[in-house]
Amino acid sequence: MSVKILCHSFAALHFWFGCYYDWNYVEIPTDVHRMGSSFGKSGKLKFLTFWDAILQAVFFTICVINDVIGTNEDAPKKTPFIRRIKDLILTCLAFPLSMFVGLTFWCIYFVDRELIFPRALDKFFPVWLNHAMHTNIMIFILIELYTSYRKYPSRKFGMSVLSVFMLIYLIWIHIIHAYSGAWVYPILDVLNLPLRIVFFVGLFGLTLSLYLLGEKLNGVLWSKRLHIAKKR
């Protein structure tokens, strides 16, 4: 068994177990924090963190399948379907979303953690799970970016896929707010409508910037390697 299969399998199991544990064992009483309420039976699906953790689990599962029946060549002449799916998910969603979730969570956390992850939740949400959902997502995807080449789609296509995904989530949290009368994230409670609009536009811009960052990093990491490989 190759090192890549082992690493991808570990990453996939890591995120699948994190999602399973969070869904089945993390219960936050509503009298501790309203974040624990069902928000219209939306459960953990109200959080972008959970969406992203599922995405990472699916992505690394696809990586394992690609390791077995696809190819990990830097620039194959004929790219298998599973490899194309792997490349598209990483470029359009897995990289920008993992970086977005991790960076925004920890930036707000260090400014005022009560706005994103109140201390009252510490008894119910294990530290290891917090890092699995908000730290390891960045670490694993950066390792993948460094160790495996992927072909980026056209910028228009990639950013369109990411924009649609973020728009769907934005609509979703507004549906939850309309149904329950409460915002999913405490930070939204302290912002009036104009500031919320600025906040959402800023986060949207950050997400697209992270897409461009991934594209740039991919070029920096792999253009020289591919150039050397072609000379051999």
Side-chain angles (χ1 to χ4, degrees), residues 182-226:
W183 289 107
V184 171
Y185 301 103
I187 191 173
L188 296 176
D189 287 318
V190 301
L191 301 177
N192 57 27
L193 179 59
L195 286 178
R196 281 202 303 273
I197 293 174
V198 172
F199 182 71
F200 287 134
V201 171
L203 292 182
F204 189 80
L206 174 62
T207 310
L208 296 182
S209 298
L210 290 170
Y211 175 91
L212 296 176
L213 174 64
E215 185 182 65
K216 180 66 174 178
L217 285 175
N218 186 65
V220 171
L221 288 170
W222 290 98
S223 59
K224 186 176 180 180
R225 297 189 204 182
L226 290 175

Side-chain angles (χ1 to χ4, degrees), residues 158-193:
M159 296 181 84
S160 295
V161 171
L162 179 58
S163 298
V164 169
F165 183 94
M166 293 301 290
L167 182 60
I168 290 172
Y169 183 73
L170 183 61
I171 293 172
W172 173 234
I173 63 173
H174 278 82
I175 290 174
I176 293 173
H177 178 261
Y179 188 91
S180 66
W183 289 107
V184 171
Y185 301 103
I187 191 173
L188 296 176
D189 287 318
V190 301
L191 301 177
N192 57 27
L193 179 59

Side-chain angles (χ1 to χ4, degrees), residues 1-12 58-73 80-84 86-87 144 147-149:
M1 185 178 291
S2 72
V3 174
K4 278 197 174 182
I5 293 179
L6 287 173
C7 292
H8 288 150
S9 297
F10 175 79
V58 170
F59 170 70
F60 282 106
T61 300
I62 290 174
C63 287
V64 175
I65 298 172
N66 178 70
D67 293 337
V68 176
I69 64 173
T71 177
N72 285 304
E73 293 180 24
F81 177 74
I82 190 67
R83 169 64 182 275
R84 294 199 297 270
K86 173 193 170 185
D87 288 357
E144 178 65 20
T147 57
S148 299
Y149 170 78

Side-chain angles (χ1 to χ4, degrees), residues 22 25-37 39 44 46-47 105 109 113-127 129-130 134 184-186:
D22 190 10
Y25 297 105
V26 176
E27 294 292 340
I28 301 171
T30 53
D31 60 337
V32 172
H33 199 278
R34 72 178 188 196
M35 190 181 293
S37 66
F39 282 86
K44 304 300 168 61
K46 57 182 172 282
F47 300 115
F105 176 86
Y109 184 97
R113 66 168 296 182
E114 296 300 315
L115 295 176
I116 191 75
F117 194 81
R119 287 178 177 82
L121 306 184
D122 287 345
K123 281 196 293 186
F124 306 95
F125 202 91
V127 173
L129 185 59
N130 189 14
H134 300 114
V184 171
Y185 301 103

